Amino acid sequence: MMMDSQTALMIIDVQLGMFDESDPIFDGNELLERISTLIHQARLAGIPVIYVQHNDQDPRSPLHNQQPTWVIHPDIQPVTGELVVQKFYPDAFQETVLQEELEKQGIKNLVIAGIQTEYCVDTTCRRAFSLGYPVKLVQDAHSTWNTHQLTARQIIDHHNQVLSGWFVKLLPAAAIEFAPRELES
């Protein structure tokens, strides 16, 4: 599906601390590959890439801003000029500059990928919908961990099913294309 110039690619919480080898995120290497491909395609088309970076309050957390693992994963690092939104809650819009920046850039549509499916990805998709943004959730480019009750695959599939329809349009990464800005009329 072709995305227009009023679209931004939003990458949520893909930080080094989410890839701890002792408790790896589900499908981590494939997730990074899919997101990296999406970022490359968006950049080639001149589509904004927006990173959301979580800040945990616990200084021992791998997502605390004083930890070396707080950084965005090196495989998908932002380049100069790309927006990095700092957040403290599962909702990327709550007490952040995100909506203001989207309005400044004329962004009307969002393509979302990232971590963690049942928290920050789900909450941000729902909030974006409530704010009037049509959202395309990349169904194979968000991830989580197994829990005692469900596998990561079950959580991902469940959230894809629950969010689809009301809150997002689901698309696999391979189906997403970004229209180059210079080709638009």
Short mmCIF file of all heavy atoms in Angstrom, two decimals, residues 73-131:
data_model
loop_
_atom_site.label_atom_id
_atom_site.label_comp_id
_atom_site.label_asym_id
_atom_site.label_seq_id
_atom_site.Cartn_x
_atom_site.Cartn_y
_atom_site.Cartn_z
N HIS A 73 18.52 1.20 19.24
CA HIS A 73 19.34 0.09 18.75
C HIS A 73 20.22 0.56 17.59
O HIS A 73 19.73 1.22 16.67
CB HIS A 73 18.46 -1.07 18.32
CG HIS A 73 19.22 -2.34 18.18
ND1 HIS A 73 20.06 -2.59 17.12
CD2 HIS A 73 19.29 -3.43 18.99
CE1 HIS A 73 20.61 -3.77 17.27
NE2 HIS A 73 20.16 -4.31 18.39
N PRO A 74 21.52 0.22 17.62
CA PRO A 74 22.44 0.70 16.59
C PRO A 74 22.06 0.28 15.16
O PRO A 74 22.42 0.97 14.20
CB PRO A 74 23.79 0.11 16.98
CG PRO A 74 23.60 -0.66 18.22
CD PRO A 74 22.18 -0.55 18.66
N ASP A 75 21.32 -0.80 14.99
CA ASP A 75 20.93 -1.24 13.65
C ASP A 75 19.92 -0.31 12.99
O ASP A 75 19.72 -0.38 11.78
CB ASP A 75 20.34 -2.65 13.68
CG ASP A 75 21.39 -3.72 13.93
OD1 ASP A 75 22.58 -3.39 14.08
OD2 ASP A 75 21.00 -4.91 13.97
N ILE A 76 19.27 0.53 13.79
CA ILE A 76 18.23 1.41 13.23
C ILE A 76 18.38 2.85 13.72
O ILE A 76 17.40 3.60 13.76
CB ILE A 76 16.82 0.88 13.55
CG1 ILE A 76 16.58 0.82 15.05
CG2 ILE A 76 16.58 -0.47 12.91
CD1 ILE A 76 15.14 0.97 15.44
N GLN A 77 19.55 3.26 14.09
CA GLN A 77 19.77 4.59 14.67
C GLN A 77 19.24 5.72 13.80
O GLN A 77 19.33 5.65 12.57
CB GLN A 77 21.25 4.82 14.91
CG GLN A 77 21.79 4.11 16.09
CD GLN A 77 23.26 4.45 16.33
OE1 GLN A 77 23.97 4.85 15.43
NE2 GLN A 77 23.68 4.28 17.56
N PRO A 78 18.74 6.77 14.46
CA PRO A 78 18.32 7.95 13.70
C PRO A 78 19.52 8.65 13.07
O PRO A 78 20.64 8.55 13.57
CB PRO A 78 17.67 8.85 14.75
CG PRO A 78 17.91 8.24 16.07
CD PRO A 78 18.51 6.89 15.88
N VAL A 79 19.24 9.35 11.98
CA VAL A 79 20.26 10.19 11.36
C VAL A 79 19.98 11.63 11.76
O VAL A 79 18.89 11.95 12.25
CB VAL A 79 20.29 10.02 9.82
CG1 VAL A 79 20.68 8.61 9.44
CG2 VAL A 79 18.98 10.42 9.20
N THR A 80 20.94 12.49 11.55
CA THR A 80 20.79 13.90 11.88
C THR A 80 19.51 14.46 11.27
O THR A 80 19.23 14.24 10.10
CB THR A 80 22.01 14.69 11.37
OG1 THR A 80 23.18 14.13 11.96
CG2 THR A 80 21.91 16.16 11.75
N GLY A 81 18.75 15.15 12.10
CA GLY A 81 17.52 15.77 11.64
C GLY A 81 16.26 14.96 11.90
O GLY A 81 15.16 15.49 11.80
N GLU A 82 16.41 13.68 12.22
CA GLU A 82 15.22 12.87 12.50
C GLU A 82 14.79 13.11 13.95
O GLU A 82 15.61 13.20 14.86
CB GLU A 82 15.47 11.39 12.25
CG GLU A 82 15.58 11.09 10.77
CD GLU A 82 15.88 9.65 10.44
OE1 GLU A 82 16.53 8.94 11.25
OE2 GLU A 82 15.47 9.22 9.34
N LEU A 83 13.49 13.21 14.13
CA LEU A 83 12.91 13.50 15.44
C LEU A 83 13.00 12.29 16.37
O LEU A 83 12.65 11.18 15.98
CB LEU A 83 11.43 13.90 15.26
CG LEU A 83 10.64 14.19 16.53
CD1 LEU A 83 11.20 15.39 17.28
CD2 LEU A 83 9.17 14.44 16.15
N VAL A 84 13.47 12.53 17.59
CA VAL A 84 13.47 11.53 18.65
C VAL A 84 12.63 12.11 19.78
O VAL A 84 12.98 13.12 20.38
CB VAL A 84 14.89 11.19 19.15
CG1 VAL A 84 14.82 10.14 20.26
CG2 VAL A 84 15.77 10.71 17.99
N VAL A 85 11.49 11.47 20.05
CA VAL A 85 10.56 11.91 21.07
C VAL A 85 10.85 11.14 22.35
O VAL A 85 10.86 9.90 22.35
CB VAL A 85 9.10 11.67 20.63
CG1 VAL A 85 8.12 11.99 21.75
CG2 VAL A 85 8.78 12.47 19.37
N GLN A 86 11.09 11.87 23.43
CA GLN A 86 11.32 11.25 24.73
C GLN A 86 9.98 11.05 25.44
O GLN A 86 9.18 11.98 25.53
CB GLN A 86 12.24 12.14 25.58
CG GLN A 86 13.58 12.41 24.94
CD GLN A 86 14.38 11.14 24.68
OE1 GLN A 86 14.43 10.25 25.52
NE2 GLN A 86 14.98 11.06 23.51
N LYS A 87 9.74 9.83 25.94
CA LYS A 87 8.48 9.57 26.65
C LYS A 87 8.74 8.86 27.97
O LYS A 87 9.78 8.23 28.15
CB LYS A 87 7.51 8.77 25.78
CG LYS A 87 7.83 7.31 25.60
CD LYS A 87 6.69 6.61 24.88
CE LYS A 87 6.95 5.14 24.70
NZ LYS A 87 7.13 4.36 25.90
N PHE A 88 7.74 8.98 28.87
CA PHE A 88 7.83 8.40 30.20
C PHE A 88 6.65 7.48 30.51
O PHE A 88 6.56 6.92 31.59
CB PHE A 88 7.90 9.51 31.26
CG PHE A 88 9.13 10.36 31.11
CD1 PHE A 88 9.13 11.47 30.28
CD2 PHE A 88 10.30 10.03 31.76
CE1 PHE A 88 10.27 12.25 30.11
CE2 PHE A 88 11.45 10.80 31.61
CZ PHE A 88 11.43 11.91 30.78
N TYR A 89 5.71 7.36 29.57
CA TYR A 89 4.50 6.57 29.72
C TYR A 89 4.33 5.68 28.50
O TYR A 89 4.93 5.94 27.46
CB TYR A 89 3.28 7.49 29.86
CG TYR A 89 3.40 8.48 30.99
CD1 TYR A 89 3.81 9.79 30.75
CD2 TYR A 89 3.12 8.09 32.29
CE1 TYR A 89 3.93 10.69 31.79
CE2 TYR A 89 3.24 9.00 33.34
CZ TYR A 89 3.65 10.29 33.09
OH TYR A 89 3.77 11.18 34.12
N PRO A 90 3.46 4.67 28.57
CA PRO A 90 3.22 3.83 27.39
C PRO A 90 2.67 4.60 26.18
O PRO A 90 2.89 4.21 25.05
CB PRO A 90 2.21 2.80 27.88
CG PRO A 90 2.42 2.72 29.35
CD PRO A 90 2.79 4.12 29.76
N ASP A 91 1.99 5.69 26.42
CA ASP A 91 1.39 6.52 25.37
C ASP A 91 2.43 7.52 24.86
O ASP A 91 2.86 8.41 25.59
CB ASP A 91 0.18 7.25 25.97
CG ASP A 91 -0.50 8.20 25.02
OD1 ASP A 91 -0.01 8.43 23.91
OD2 ASP A 91 -1.56 8.72 25.41
N ALA A 92 2.83 7.38 23.60
CA ALA A 92 3.87 8.26 23.04
C ALA A 92 3.41 9.71 22.93
O ALA A 92 4.23 10.60 22.72
CB ALA A 92 4.29 7.75 21.67
N PHE A 93 2.11 9.97 23.09
CA PHE A 93 1.59 11.34 23.03
C PHE A 93 1.52 11.99 24.42
O PHE A 93 1.50 13.21 24.52
CB PHE A 93 0.18 11.34 22.43
CG PHE A 93 0.15 11.01 20.96
CD1 PHE A 93 -0.01 9.70 20.54
CD2 PHE A 93 0.28 12.01 20.00
CE1 PHE A 93 -0.06 9.39 19.18
CE2 PHE A 93 0.24 11.71 18.65
CZ PHE A 93 0.07 10.40 18.24
N GLN A 94 1.48 11.20 25.48
CA GLN A 94 1.27 11.73 26.83
C GLN A 94 2.50 12.51 27.31
O GLN A 94 3.58 11.96 27.47
CB GLN A 94 0.95 10.61 27.81
CG GLN A 94 0.63 11.12 29.20
CD GLN A 94 0.26 10.00 30.17
OE1 GLN A 94 0.10 8.85 29.78
NE2 GLN A 94 0.13 10.35 31.43
N GLU A 95 2.28 13.82 27.52
CA GLU A 95 3.31 14.71 28.04
C GLU A 95 4.60 14.69 27.19
O GLU A 95 5.71 14.71 27.73
CB GLU A 95 3.61 14.41 29.51
CG GLU A 95 2.40 14.63 30.40
CD GLU A 95 2.67 14.32 31.87
OE1 GLU A 95 3.86 14.30 32.29
OE2 GLU A 95 1.68 14.10 32.59
N THR A 96 4.41 14.61 25.86
CA THR A 96 5.56 14.68 24.94
C THR A 96 5.28 15.75 23.88
O THR A 96 4.19 16.30 23.82
CB THR A 96 5.79 13.33 24.20
OG1 THR A 96 4.74 13.12 23.25
CG2 THR A 96 5.89 12.16 25.16
N VAL A 97 6.25 15.96 23.02
CA VAL A 97 6.12 16.93 21.93
C VAL A 97 5.57 16.28 20.65
O VAL A 97 5.48 16.95 19.62
CB VAL A 97 7.49 17.59 21.62
CG1 VAL A 97 8.03 18.33 22.83
CG2 VAL A 97 8.49 16.55 21.10
N LEU A 98 5.17 15.02 20.71
CA LEU A 98 4.83 14.29 19.50
C LEU A 98 3.73 14.96 18.68
O LEU A 98 3.91 15.21 17.49
CB LEU A 98 4.42 12.83 19.84
CG LEU A 98 4.05 11.97 18.63
CD1 LEU A 98 5.17 11.90 17.61
CD2 LEU A 98 3.67 10.57 19.11
N GLN A 99 2.59 15.25 19.29
CA GLN A 99 1.50 15.81 18.50
C GLN A 99 1.89 17.18 17.91
O GLN A 99 1.61 17.46 16.75
CB GLN A 99 0.22 15.93 19.31
CG GLN A 99 -0.95 16.35 18.43
CD GLN A 99 -2.29 16.22 19.12
OE1 GLN A 99 -2.38 15.95 20.31
NE2 GLN A 99 -3.33 16.43 18.36
N GLU A 100 2.54 18.00 18.69
CA GLU A 100 2.99 19.31 18.21
C GLU A 100 3.91 19.16 17.00
O GLU A 100 3.79 19.88 16.01
CB GLU A 100 3.71 20.03 19.34
CG GLU A 100 4.31 21.37 18.98
CD GLU A 100 5.11 21.97 20.13
OE1 GLU A 100 4.83 21.66 21.31
OE2 GLU A 100 6.04 22.74 19.83
N GLU A 101 4.83 18.21 17.05
CA GLU A 101 5.76 17.98 15.95
C GLU A 101 5.04 17.44 14.71
O GLU A 101 5.36 17.82 13.59
CB GLU A 101 6.89 17.04 16.37
CG GLU A 101 7.85 17.66 17.36
CD GLU A 101 8.65 18.81 16.77
OE1 GLU A 101 8.93 18.81 15.55
OE2 GLU A 101 9.02 19.72 17.53
N LEU A 102 4.08 16.54 14.92
CA LEU A 102 3.32 16.03 13.78
C LEU A 102 2.57 17.16 13.09
O LEU A 102 2.55 17.24 11.85
CB LEU A 102 2.33 14.94 14.24
CG LEU A 102 2.94 13.64 14.76
CD1 LEU A 102 1.85 12.72 15.31
CD2 LEU A 102 3.76 12.93 13.70
N GLU A 103 1.96 18.03 13.88
CA GLU A 103 1.24 19.18 13.31
C GLU A 103 2.19 20.11 12.56
O GLU A 103 1.88 20.55 11.46
CB GLU A 103 0.48 19.93 14.41
CG GLU A 103 -0.70 19.15 14.95
CD GLU A 103 -1.33 19.76 16.19
OE1 GLU A 103 -0.86 20.82 16.68
OE2 GLU A 103 -2.30 19.16 16.70
N LYS A 104 3.36 20.39 13.14
CA LYS A 104 4.35 21.26 12.49
C LYS A 104 4.78 20.72 11.14
O LYS A 104 5.00 21.48 10.20
CB LYS A 104 5.60 21.38 13.37
CG LYS A 104 5.62 22.57 14.28
CD LYS A 104 7.04 22.85 14.75
CE LYS A 104 7.20 22.47 16.19
NZ LYS A 104 8.52 22.77 16.74
N GLN A 105 4.92 19.39 11.05
CA GLN A 105 5.39 18.76 9.82
C GLN A 105 4.25 18.42 8.85
O GLN A 105 4.51 17.88 7.77
CB GLN A 105 6.19 17.49 10.14
CG GLN A 105 7.48 17.77 10.89
CD GLN A 105 8.29 16.51 11.10
OE1 GLN A 105 8.36 15.64 10.23
NE2 GLN A 105 8.93 16.40 12.26
N GLY A 106 3.02 18.71 9.24
CA GLY A 106 1.88 18.42 8.37
C GLY A 106 1.59 16.93 8.24
O GLY A 106 1.03 16.48 7.24
N ILE A 107 1.94 16.17 9.26
CA ILE A 107 1.72 14.72 9.24
C ILE A 107 0.28 14.42 9.62
O ILE A 107 -0.21 14.86 10.66
CB ILE A 107 2.69 13.99 10.21
CG1 ILE A 107 4.14 14.29 9.86
CG2 ILE A 107 2.41 12.50 10.25
CD1 ILE A 107 4.57 13.89 8.48
N LYS A 108 -0.39 13.67 8.77
CA LYS A 108 -1.79 13.29 8.99
C LYS A 108 -1.97 11.79 9.18
O LYS A 108 -3.01 11.34 9.64
CB LYS A 108 -2.66 13.73 7.80
CG LYS A 108 -2.54 15.19 7.44
CD LYS A 108 -3.36 16.04 8.36
CE LYS A 108 -3.35 17.47 7.85
NZ LYS A 108 -3.28 18.42 8.89
N ASN A 109 -0.98 10.99 8.77
CA ASN A 109 -1.06 9.52 8.79
C ASN A 109 0.19 8.94 9.43
O ASN A 109 1.29 9.45 9.21
CB ASN A 109 -1.17 8.97 7.36
CG ASN A 109 -2.29 9.62 6.58
OD1 ASN A 109 -3.44 9.44 6.88
ND2 ASN A 109 -1.91 10.42 5.58
N LEU A 110 0.01 7.85 10.17
CA LEU A 110 1.14 7.22 10.84
C LEU A 110 1.26 5.75 10.45
O LEU A 110 0.26 5.04 10.37
CB LEU A 110 0.98 7.31 12.36
CG LEU A 110 0.94 8.72 12.94
CD1 LEU A 110 0.57 8.68 14.41
CD2 LEU A 110 2.28 9.41 12.74
N VAL A 111 2.50 5.33 10.24
CA VAL A 111 2.85 3.92 10.10
C VAL A 111 3.64 3.59 11.35
O VAL A 111 4.65 4.25 11.63
CB VAL A 111 3.68 3.66 8.83
CG1 VAL A 111 4.13 2.20 8.78
CG2 VAL A 111 2.90 4.05 7.59
N ILE A 112 3.18 2.61 12.14
CA ILE A 112 3.78 2.34 13.45
C ILE A 112 4.38 0.94 13.49
O ILE A 112 3.77 -0.04 13.07
CB ILE A 112 2.73 2.51 14.57
CG1 ILE A 112 2.30 3.99 14.64
CG2 ILE A 112 3.28 2.03 15.91
CD1 ILE A 112 1.26 4.28 15.71
N ALA A 113 5.59 0.88 14.09
CA ALA A 113 6.30 -0.37 14.35
C ALA A 113 7.03 -0.21 15.68
O ALA A 113 7.23 0.92 16.13
CB ALA A 113 7.29 -0.67 13.23
N GLY A 114 7.42 -1.31 16.30
CA GLY A 114 8.24 -1.17 17.50
C GLY A 114 7.94 -2.17 18.60
O GLY A 114 7.46 -3.27 18.37
N ILE A 115 8.22 -1.72 19.81
CA ILE A 115 8.17 -2.56 21.00
C ILE A 115 7.45 -1.79 22.11
O ILE A 115 7.61 -0.59 22.21
CB ILE A 115 9.61 -2.91 21.47
CG1 ILE A 115 10.39 -3.62 20.34
CG2 ILE A 115 9.60 -3.73 22.73
CD1 ILE A 115 11.87 -3.79 20.63
N GLN A 116 6.73 -2.27 22.84
CA GLN A 116 6.28 -3.58 23.21
C GLN A 116 4.81 -3.67 22.84
O GLN A 116 4.01 -2.81 23.21
CB GLN A 116 6.51 -3.80 24.70
CG GLN A 116 6.13 -5.13 25.20
CD GLN A 116 6.53 -5.37 26.66
OE1 GLN A 116 7.19 -4.57 27.32
NE2 GLN A 116 6.11 -6.48 27.18
N THR A 117 4.46 -4.71 22.16
CA THR A 117 3.15 -4.88 21.55
C THR A 117 2.00 -4.49 22.48
O THR A 117 1.17 -3.66 22.12
CB THR A 117 2.96 -6.34 21.09
OG1 THR A 117 3.96 -6.63 20.10
CG2 THR A 117 1.59 -6.58 20.52
N GLU A 118 1.94 -5.11 23.65
CA GLU A 118 0.76 -4.95 24.51
C GLU A 118 0.79 -3.69 25.37
O GLU A 118 -0.19 -3.38 26.07
CB GLU A 118 0.53 -6.19 25.39
CG GLU A 118 1.56 -6.43 26.47
CD GLU A 118 2.78 -7.22 26.01
OE1 GLU A 118 3.21 -7.09 24.85
OE2 GLU A 118 3.32 -7.97 26.86
N TYR A 119 1.86 -2.95 25.34
CA TYR A 119 1.95 -1.73 26.12
C TYR A 119 2.06 -0.51 25.21
O TYR A 119 1.08 0.10 24.84
CB TYR A 119 3.13 -1.79 27.11
CG TYR A 119 2.91 -2.84 28.18
CD1 TYR A 119 3.67 -4.00 28.21
CD2 TYR A 119 1.92 -2.69 29.14
CE1 TYR A 119 3.46 -4.97 29.17
CE2 TYR A 119 1.70 -3.66 30.10
CZ TYR A 119 2.47 -4.81 30.12
OH TYR A 119 2.25 -5.76 31.06
N CYS A 120 3.26 -0.15 24.86
CA CYS A 120 3.48 1.11 24.15
C CYS A 120 2.94 1.11 22.72
O CYS A 120 2.41 2.13 22.27
CB CYS A 120 4.96 1.46 24.18
SG CYS A 120 5.57 1.61 25.89
N VAL A 121 3.03 0.01 22.02
CA VAL A 121 2.50 -0.05 20.66
C VAL A 121 0.98 0.05 20.71
O VAL A 121 0.37 0.87 20.03
CB VAL A 121 2.98 -1.32 19.92
CG1 VAL A 121 2.26 -1.48 18.58
CG2 VAL A 121 4.49 -1.28 19.71
N ASP A 122 0.34 -0.79 21.52
CA ASP A 122 -1.12 -0.78 21.64
C ASP A 122 -1.63 0.59 22.10
O ASP A 122 -2.52 1.18 21.47
CB ASP A 122 -1.56 -1.86 22.63
CG ASP A 122 -3.05 -1.87 22.87
OD1 ASP A 122 -3.54 -1.06 23.69
OD2 ASP A 122 -3.76 -2.68 22.24
N THR A 123 -1.07 1.12 23.16
CA THR A 123 -1.54 2.39 23.72
C THR A 123 -1.36 3.54 22.74
O THR A 123 -2.26 4.37 22.57
CB THR A 123 -0.79 2.70 25.04
OG1 THR A 123 -0.95 1.59 25.93
CG2 THR A 123 -1.31 3.96 25.70
N THR A 124 -0.24 3.59 22.06
CA THR A 124 0.01 4.67 21.10
C THR A 124 -0.91 4.56 19.89
O THR A 124 -1.41 5.58 19.40
CB THR A 124 1.49 4.69 20.70
OG1 THR A 124 2.28 4.92 21.88
CG2 THR A 124 1.77 5.78 19.67
N CYS A 125 -1.17 3.35 19.42
CA CYS A 125 -2.12 3.17 18.30
C CYS A 125 -3.50 3.68 18.68
O CYS A 125 -4.14 4.41 17.91
CB CYS A 125 -2.20 1.70 17.90
SG CYS A 125 -0.79 1.08 16.97
N ARG A 126 -3.96 3.32 19.86
CA ARG A 126 -5.29 3.74 20.31
C ARG A 126 -5.36 5.27 20.48
O ARG A 126 -6.32 5.91 20.09
CB ARG A 126 -5.66 3.04 21.61
CG ARG A 126 -5.93 1.56 21.43
CD ARG A 126 -6.09 0.87 22.78
NE ARG A 126 -6.14 -0.56 22.65
CZ ARG A 126 -7.26 -1.29 22.69
NH1 ARG A 126 -8.43 -0.70 22.84
NH2 ARG A 126 -7.21 -2.59 22.58
N ARG A 127 -4.32 5.85 21.06
CA ARG A 127 -4.30 7.29 21.27
C ARG A 127 -4.24 8.04 19.95
O ARG A 127 -4.92 9.05 19.76
CB ARG A 127 -3.14 7.68 22.17
CG ARG A 127 -3.03 9.17 22.44
CD ARG A 127 -4.13 9.68 23.37
NE ARG A 127 -4.06 11.10 23.59
CZ ARG A 127 -3.28 11.70 24.50
NH1 ARG A 127 -2.51 10.98 25.29
NH2 ARG A 127 -3.29 13.00 24.61
N ALA A 128 -3.43 7.55 19.02
CA ALA A 128 -3.35 8.18 17.70
C ALA A 128 -4.71 8.17 17.02
O ALA A 128 -5.15 9.18 16.46
CB ALA A 128 -2.31 7.48 16.84
N PHE A 129 -5.41 7.05 17.10
CA PHE A 129 -6.76 6.96 16.54
C PHE A 129 -7.67 7.99 17.20
O PHE A 129 -8.41 8.70 16.52
CB PHE A 129 -7.32 5.55 16.74
CG PHE A 129 -8.78 5.44 16.45
CD1 PHE A 129 -9.24 5.32 15.14
CD2 PHE A 129 -9.71 5.48 17.48
CE1 PHE A 129 -10.60 5.24 14.86
CE2 PHE A 129 -11.07 5.40 17.22
CZ PHE A 129 -11.52 5.29 15.91
N SER A 130 -7.62 8.09 18.51
CA SER A 130 -8.47 9.03 19.25
C SER A 130 -8.17 10.48 18.87
O SER A 130 -9.05 11.34 18.95
CB SER A 130 -8.29 8.86 20.76
OG SER A 130 -8.76 7.59 21.16
N LEU A 131 -6.95 10.75 18.46
CA LEU A 131 -6.56 12.10 18.04
C LEU A 131 -6.84 12.36 16.56
O LEU A 131 -6.56 13.44 16.07
CB LEU A 131 -5.08 12.34 18.35
CG LEU A 131 -4.72 12.38 19.83
CD1 LEU A 131 -3.20 12.38 20.01
CD2 LEU A 131 -5.35 13.59 20.50
#
